[in-house]
Amino acid sequence: MANQENLTIDDIRKAIEFLKKNGSKISHRAIYDYLKRGSFTTITKLLKKIQEEELEAEKSKIYTEVGSELIDALAVEIAKSAYQCKYEKYNEVKERNDAIISNLVENNNMLSEEFSATIDEQKEVIAKLELGIKEKDKQLANLNQEIEELKKQINNQSIVLTEKEKQLTVLQSLIVDKLNEKALENTNALTSNESQN
């Protein structure tokens, strides 16, 4: 219990820095495994505080670099880009799956026809299948390699999408802040006018 109470926000920051340097995913479990102490409740509370601080820093940075006049246009472009990436990746995966299913169906039909032939023909088919299996093994190895590459691409794309979604969240927050400021200014102006009248 004592080691949980001694857990500080600096400990969480060190854990996050370590995970980032090693290319590991930042999660409650990963932080706990690195620190070897603390409760999930404490880690969650401190991690949330760090994320809120990073969000505020990111908002300030974007506001300074982009400016309030370009926020609406940038938000629209990020949303379009995120949607396009997801749509293209979905189509790519769907096409690969359709091709695999089509090949499996064709192979199944071919085997059904061959096994309906005579015994002598079946022997020839078995001999061909033995050669075919070796070729299929090569194809399977290539397919597994393509799948692993696709997984890497999907993971990289997910990272890009996560970053864009984070930027979009920041921009949406800035827009809400601006709208609240304008509403407050309008309310103050209306109150002032009513007081003068």
Side-chain angles (χ1 to χ4, degrees), residues 16-29:
I16 292 174
E17 182 179 358
F18 173 83
L19 293 172
K20 286 182 177 180
K21 285 182 179 180
N22 287 274
S24 301
K25 182 178 179 181
I26 298 173
S27 65
H28 304 81
R29 170 58 65 180

Side-chain angles (χ1 to χ4, degrees), residues 65-142:
E65 294 178 353
V66 178
S68 59
E69 296 179 357
L70 299 178
I71 288 177
D72 288 339
L74 186 57
V76 171
E77 289 301 320
I78 290 176
K80 287 181 179 179
S81 178
Y83 173 80
Q84 185 65 23
C85 288
K86 289 181 179 179
Y87 180 76
E88 290 175 355
K89 186 55 61 179
Y90 167 79
N91 284 340
E92 180 180 343
V93 174
K94 184 177 183 301
E95 289 176 1
R96 288 180 179 272
N97 288 341
D98 289 345
I100 292 173
I101 292 173
S102 177
N103 288 335
L104 290 174
V105 171
E106 291 178 2
N107 290 340
N108 181 66
N109 292 337
M110 183 184 300
L111 289 174
S112 297
E113 293 176 358
E114 290 173 348
F115 278 106
S116 64
T118 61
I119 294 177
D120 291 338
E121 290 174 340
Q122 289 177 2
K123 290 180 180 179
E124 293 178 2
V125 169
I126 292 173
K128 291 179 180 179
L129 285 175
E130 289 176 348
L131 295 175
I133 288 172
K134 294 180 180 179
E135 183 63 27
K136 291 297 180 183
D137 287 341
K138 294 180 181 178
Q139 294 177 2
L140 182 59
N142 293 334

Side-chain angles (χ1 to χ4, degrees), residues 1-181:
M1 183 63 67
N3 62 3
Q4 295 178 4
E5 295 174 354
N6 292 334
L7 194 64
T8 67
I9 196 168
D10 288 334
D11 295 328
I12 302 299
R13 287 195 177 100
K14 289 178 183 178
I16 292 174
E17 182 179 358
F18 173 83
L19 293 172
K20 286 182 177 180
K21 285 182 179 180
N22 287 274
S24 301
K25 182 178 179 181
I26 298 173
S27 65
H28 304 81
R29 170 58 65 180
I31 292 174
Y32 178 84
D33 290 341
Y34 172 78
L35 295 174
K36 304 298 183 184
R37 60 193 179 94
S39 66
F40 281 100
T41 300
T42 304
I43 292 173
T44 298
K45 181 175 67 176
L46 295 176
L47 181 59
K48 182 179 180 182
K49 185 174 181 180
I50 291 174
Q51 290 172 341
E52 289 173 350
E53 291 176 356
E54 290 178 348
L55 179 61
E56 288 301 320
E58 188 71 17
K59 284 170 61 176
S60 177
K61 178 181 176 183
I62 292 177
Y63 182 82
T64 300
E65 294 178 353
V66 178
S68 59
E69 296 179 357
L70 299 178
I71 288 177
D72 288 339
L74 186 57
V76 171
E77 289 301 320
I78 290 176
K80 287 181 179 179
S81 178
Y83 173 80
Q84 185 65 23
C85 288
K86 289 181 179 179
Y87 180 76
E88 290 175 355
K89 186 55 61 179
Y90 167 79
N91 284 340
E92 180 180 343
V93 174
K94 184 177 183 301
E95 289 176 1
R96 288 180 179 272
N97 288 341
D98 289 345
I100 292 173
I101 292 173
S102 177
N103 288 335
L104 290 174
V105 171
E106 291 178 2
N107 290 340
N108 181 66
N109 292 337
M110 183 184 300
L111 289 174
S112 297
E113 293 176 358
E114 290 173 348
F115 278 106
S116 64
T118 61
I119 294 177
D120 291 338
E121 290 174 340
Q122 289 177 2
K123 290 180 180 179
E124 293 178 2
V125 169
I126 292 173
K128 291 179 180 179
L129 285 175
E130 289 176 348
L131 295 175
I133 288 172
K134 294 180 180 179
E135 183 63 27
K136 291 297 180 183
D137 287 341
K138 294 180 181 178
Q139 294 177 2
L140 182 59
N142 293 334
L143 180 59
N144 287 333
Q145 185 177 357
E146 291 179 4
I147 291 173
E148 289 302 319
E149 182 63 27
L150 180 59
K151 287 180 179 178
K152 292 180 181 178
Q153 294 176 6
I154 292 174
N155 183 56
N156 292 336
Q157 195 64 44
S158 297
I159 294 174
V160 172
L161 290 176
T162 300
E163 183 61 27
K164 290 185 177 180
E165 288 171 353
K166 180 180 178 182
Q167 293 177 1
L168 180 59
T169 300
V170 172
L171 289 170
Q172 288 174 339
S173 178
L174 286 172
I175 292 170
V176 171
D177 292 344
K178 277 294 182 181
L179 289 175
N180 289 336
E181 289 178 9

